Amino acid sequence: MRIAFDPQIFSIQKYGGISRYFVRIAEEMHQKGEQVSILAGYHINSYLNDCSPKLVKGKYLEKYPSRSIRAIRKLNSITGNLRSSLTRPDLIHETYFSSKPVVKSKAPVFVTVYDMIQEIYPDQFHAGELVTNQKKDALKRADHIFSISHHTKTDLCRLFDIPSEKISVVHLAADNPLELGSFTNSIEKPFLLYVGLRFDYKNFSKFLKAFSNSDSLKKEFNIIAFGGSGFSQKERSLIQSLGLQSNQVIHCGGSDLDLGRLYAKAYAFVYPSIYEGFGIPSLEAMSYGCPVLSSNSSSLPEVVGDAALTFNPMDGDEMTFQMEKVAFDLEIREQLIAKGYQRAGEFSWEKTARETMDVYRKFV
């Protein structure tokens, strides 16, 4: 089967979950003998640099020249259309949302929906970041839609009035854990780990408040928040008002290897989010042997199963109770580690690619 992925996401993300997803399934499909082309054009995506040259049709740029993004995306569309006309793919999988096709073809078109966060929480985004109209147009054009969770599918049907039969659910996966090698742990105090951005729906402030409500947690543990920008003045003021020391709630960033080492050293990973389209960090933590405490909201129960302690993300007391349970009950912590390894093993990019191919074959 000749499969083409269009260039959209690779000109948007240098790193990120969406581009990683497409790279991983493209690699898996290629390994199974499918003829896969990532029509990346001039792109900024680092994941593509590690792909086989047979997969990637394009050129990596460290960054786009000033004021050139529109021209480059137009050029990518032109070259993508040329390659499509020459190779005649059996299908096009669009990697993000556009009102008109970036790569034109008479072949079936597939689009993946990752979440409905912008539609549910539009006030948490700048107007220029919202792609709801483009998403609606892309989904209307698509012959079929992938959703990365059953919860996202339910929201998609409810908010956009799309027939259920037009949508197939295919879960994502986490990358295999990295070889961490020997490293020095410079963090002396046990810590709870938070990963990702800190929009309001991510519920980081509720996590801080729940943590601060326990004298035992405050005495014995720190918090490390990995990813996103440094703490805002509002966040620093909240930390101070909760009676937490500035060196007790630590922000850091880094590479996948840095994150892997934090997962491996963390006493637990806490995922307090109110809404997620899937929730890969839960599986990442499990794969490194890190116990998971997770919100029971949106898609997260689909991902964690019975391998995490869960809580209502709006109930701070319940969150505190579950954090104390994993922090001070060694038997429960060991059970979560064992269940986590098993649960993480139930998801793989090979499985994601295989189930995606099964849907493709219904149209090709």
Side-chain angles (χ1 to χ4, degrees):
M1 188 182 299
R2 297 186 299 276
I3 302 161
F5 296 97
D6 83 359
Q8 292 185 78
I9 198 61
F10 306 107
S11 66
I12 298 171
Q13 289 188 336
K14 191 174 188 69
Y15 299 97
I18 299 174
S19 57
R20 190 193 297 254
Y21 151 63
F22 280 110
V23 169
R24 294 294 180 260
I25 63 170
E27 290 171 333
E28 293 288 345
M29 292 172 184
H30 176 67
Q31 289 177 14
K32 293 180 182 297
E34 306 297 341
Q35 299 179 47
V36 181
S37 296
I38 300 175
L39 305 178
Y42 290 99
H43 66 88
I44 58 171
N45 190 260
S46 292
Y47 302 131
L48 293 179
N49 291 335
D50 298 324
C51 282
S52 165
K54 295 180 180 179
L55 283 179
V56 182
K57 312 303 180 187
K59 182 177 177 58
Y60 174 74
L61 300 176
E62 184 66 30
K63 63 179 181 178
Y64 289 132
S66 178
R67 300 180 182 179
S68 67
I69 182 65
R70 288 189 178 181
I72 287 177
R73 288 178 178 170
K74 180 65 175 177
L75 178 60
N76 286 347
S77 177
I78 293 170
T79 57
N81 284 323
L82 178 59
R83 289 185 184 277
S84 175
S85 65
L86 293 174
T87 60
R88 297 185 180 276
D90 295 313
L91 64 95
I92 302 287
H93 198 145
E94 299 185 0
T95 57
Y96 205 56
F97 310 117
S98 58
S99 294
K100 296 180 180 179
V102 175
V103 175
K104 297 177 182 179
S105 171
K106 295 181 179 180
V109 172
F110 297 82
V111 178
T112 298
V113 175
Y114 317 99
D115 56 55
M116 299 297 286
I117 292 171
Q118 289 193 353
E119 290 70 36
I120 296 173
Y121 301 104
D123 58 320
Q124 296 187 30
F125 297 86
H126 297 297
E129 296 175 322
L130 295 173
V131 294
T132 294
N133 291 333
Q134 295 93 318
K135 183 187 289 187
K136 286 180 178 179
D137 290 340
L139 299 182
K140 184 177 181 180
R141 286 190 291 102
D143 292 281
H144 199 70
I145 300 164
F146 289 100
S147 168
I148 63 174
S149 67
H150 291 283
H151 186 273
T152 296
K153 176 178 178 176
T154 299
D155 282 347
L156 182 56
C157 293
R158 174 174 61 88
L159 294 170
F160 282 4
D161 196 28
I162 293 177
S164 176
E165 60 270 17
K166 191 179 178 178
I167 307 168
S168 294
V169 174
V170 176
H171 285 143
L172 305 185
D175 286 354
N176 292 329
L178 299 172
E179 185 66 42
L180 300 180
S182 60
F183 63 97
T184 302
N185 180 22
S186 60
I187 305 166
E188 297 179 359
K189 199 171 183 180
F191 63 92
L192 304 179
L193 179 63
Y194 174 94
V195 174
L197 301 174
R198 299 184 304 279
F199 292 110
D200 288 350
Y201 72 86
K202 294 286 190 177
N203 216 25
F204 180 68
S205 61
K206 178 75 80 172
F207 165 44
L208 291 179
K209 292 173 185 176
F211 177 86
S212 71
N213 284 339
S214 169
D215 290 337
S216 299
L217 289 173
K218 286 195 293 184
K219 179 181 178 181
E220 300 294 336
F221 289 88
N222 285 347
I223 290 173
I224 292 183
F226 181 93
S229 57
F231 293 137
S232 66
Q233 182 57 52
K234 182 179 179 181
E235 288 172 321
R236 290 194 294 270
S237 297
L238 175 62
I239 291 167
Q240 184 178 18
S241 71
L242 293 173
L244 301 172
Q245 301 300 313
S246 60
N247 62 355
Q248 189 173 11
V249 184
I250 304 161
H251 173 268
C252 67
S255 65
D256 288 346
L257 179 60
D258 295 324
L259 178 56
R261 288 172 171 171
L262 287 174
Y263 281 134
K265 287 296 182 180
Y267 208 80
F269 165 68
V270 184
Y271 210 179
S273 186
I274 298 168
Y275 189 101
E276 294 294 330
F278 184 75
I280 288 177
S282 295
L283 297 180
E284 291 177 337
M286 291 176 182
S287 72
Y288 282 100
C290 180
V292 172
L293 294 93
S294 172
S295 160
N296 62 10
S297 181
S298 64
S299 65
L300 294 175
E302 281 181 62
V303 180
V304 302
D306 67 350
L309 292 183
T310 60
F311 51 81
N312 178 346
M314 305 311 295
D315 188 333
D317 290 340
E318 187 176 339
M319 199 185 306
T320 303
F321 177 75
Q322 296 293 56
M323 284 193 284
E324 289 181 331
K325 188 183 292 186
V326 75
F328 302 114
D329 190 323
L330 186 58
E331 183 178 353
I332 288 177
R333 185 172 186 274
E334 290 176 344
Q335 289 173 355
L336 288 174
I337 292 172
K339 288 183 176 181
Y341 280 129
Q342 182 176 359
R343 183 64 176 173
E346 295 173 15
F347 298 83
S348 70
W349 290 122
E350 185 279 329
K351 182 179 180 182
T352 303
R354 173 165 35 88
E355 293 181 357
T356 301
M357 288 294 307
D358 289 342
V359 176
Y360 287 167
R361 291 189 182 98
K362 295 177 182 178
F363 293 83
V364 176

